[in-house]
């Protein structure tokens, strides 16, 4: 079986997402911001450290050109983007990938509350993987 960087943590985040998804199922009036807040509460309830609306500096040729915002960062290790759309698209993955690159995170989760079933994608940015330098156990 393949072990993923921060696999236990991403598993806990995904389980929290499923719990929130099914608890709020049928309440389509919730905004993305409210779903982010509910997920943050659930993650904190599980003892995880969560920051919301985390600024990510955008750069071009080593010059700051603006800022984006990751919905959540969990335990300072995993960036999380929450969507409420019928289906996730390549553009959603590109957005999270750019947050990983610019924010310095190796792992990100894209979580969609908008479909009939919960939808998750895990992204990995090798250039930010601390295990490459031997600093962290890959199974952590």
């Amino acid at each position: 079986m393949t072990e993923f960087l921060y696999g236990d943590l991403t598993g806990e985040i995904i389980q929290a997402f499923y719990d929130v998804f099914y608890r709020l199922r049928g309440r389509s009036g919730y905004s993305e911001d409210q779903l982010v807040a509910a997920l943050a509460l659930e993650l904190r309830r599980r003892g995880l450290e969560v920051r919301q609306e985390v600024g990510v500096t955008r750069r071009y040729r080593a010059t700051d050109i603006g800022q984006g915002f990751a919905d959540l960062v969990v335990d300072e290790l995993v960036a999380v983007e929450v969507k409420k759309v019928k289906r996730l698209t390549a553009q959603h993955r590109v957005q999270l990938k750019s947050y990983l690159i610019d924010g310095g995170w190796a792992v990100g989760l894209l979580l969609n509350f908008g479909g009939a079933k919960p939808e998750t994608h895990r992204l990995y940015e090798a250039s930010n993987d601390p295990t490459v330098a031997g600093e962290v156990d890959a199974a952590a």
Side-chain angles (χ1 to χ4, degrees):
M1 181 173 171
T2 302
E3 289 191 33
F4 293 108
L5 183 66
Y6 312 133
D8 290 343
L9 178 57
T10 56
E12 186 71 20
I13 296 166
I14 291 169
Q15 185 58 55
F17 163 66
Y18 276 88
D19 288 351
V20 173
F21 183 94
Y22 287 113
R23 184 172 297 271
L24 297 179
R25 185 166 73 185
R27 300 182 193 180
S28 59
Y30 283 64
S31 70
E32 255 183 37
D33 289 342
Q34 292 164 335
L35 294 166
V36 168
L39 181 57
L41 284 170
E42 181 62 28
L43 292 166
R44 288 184 185 111
R45 191 183 72 74
R46 294 165 182 252
L48 299 172
E49 179 188 327
V50 180
R51 290 193 300 142
Q52 292 176 245
E53 289 298 310
V54 178
V56 179
T57 301
R58 305 310 199 138
R59 294 177 189 84
Y60 176 74
R61 294 185 178 240
T63 301
D64 294 354
I65 58 170
Q67 203 164 44
F69 294 90
D71 289 331
L72 302 171
V73 175
V74 181
D75 284 356
E76 297 301 324
L77 298 172
V78 177
V80 178
E81 262 310 289
V82 171
K83 298 297 179 193
K84 185 182 173 187
V85 294
K86 285 191 182 211
R87 296 261 325 131
L88 293 172
T89 66
Q91 182 57 40
H92 298 125
R93 288 185 286 282
V94 167
Q95 177 188 14
L96 178 55
K97 186 75 164 181
S98 71
Y99 287 161
L100 296 180
I101 293 167
D102 291 339
W105 300 290
V107 177
L109 291 173
L110 188 55
L111 308 175
N112 183 25
F113 283 94
K117 295 181 180 180
E119 186 179 7
T120 66
H121 288 281
R122 184 182 195 281
L123 279 77
Y124 170 74
E125 177 50 47
S127 67
N128 292 333
D129 185 340
T131 64
V132 173
E135 296 174 19
V136 174
D137 177 13

